[in-house]
Amino acid sequence: MDRPDVVLAAFERGEPKAGVAVIGLALHHADPAAVLPVVARALESADREVRRQGVIALAHVARLHRTVDRRCLELLRGCPRGNEADDDLWSFVPHRELPLWLWRHHLWERLVERLRRPFG
């Protein structure tokens, strides 16, 4: 899938595989500016599975294009921490572009890990 308009139309029709189409779009479309609004649409879905697929799509965009937009970050903040997008955003997007809440999450994880093996 490489057409954002087709995926958005699938959302409008209530297609059961719209979330899967968002993942395909994230993997195959060359322009993250065209993909991120569709990812945001998945992240704001009432369907828990579609939101989960939106998180996966956002992780792919971060990994492939090393970018994210503010709307997706705002929507991601409402998701449970430790998901695929949290980790890929932290790994692939410049840290200066990431919000404080994601910094806190990852720095806290690293501190806990360090305390568990203080002499490693």
Side-chain angles (χ1 to χ4, degrees):
M1 176 57 55
D2 64 353
R3 291 187 48 204
D5 59 321
V6 172
V7 179
L8 287 172
F11 275 114
E12 295 304 318
R13 290 190 308 271
E15 294 284 335
K17 299 291 184 185
V20 175
V22 174
I23 294 171
L25 182 68
L27 288 169
H28 295 102
H29 199 284
D31 182 10
V35 175
L36 287 169
V38 183
V39 171
R41 173 65 180 86
L43 290 172
E44 64 189 4
S45 174
D47 184 324
R48 182 178 179 178
E49 182 63 13
V50 173
R51 284 193 312 271
R52 187 185 72 77
Q53 292 162 336
V55 167
I56 292 168
L58 183 58
H60 288 310
V61 171
R63 194 176 319 115
L64 295 171
H65 301 287
R66 301 183 185 284
T67 191
V68 67
D69 66 4
R70 291 289 151 212
R71 183 162 181 230
C72 285
L73 286 171
E74 290 168 10
L75 293 166
L76 183 65
R77 188 174 188 181
C79 297
R81 295 285 55 85
N83 60 57
E84 297 90 342
D86 282 357
D87 296 338
D88 282 359
L89 286 166
W90 188 255
S91 296
F92 296 104
V93 175
H95 291 167
R96 68 183 176 280
E97 296 178 20
L98 299 175
L100 183 59
W101 59 264
L102 194 57
W103 277 77
R104 280 193 305 256
H105 168 71
H106 281 281
L107 293 178
W108 177 253
E109 267 187 351
R110 290 205 173 145
L111 176 63
V112 168
E113 180 181 314
R114 184 71 177 155
L115 291 174
R116 284 188 181 144
R117 51 180 182 83
F119 302 107

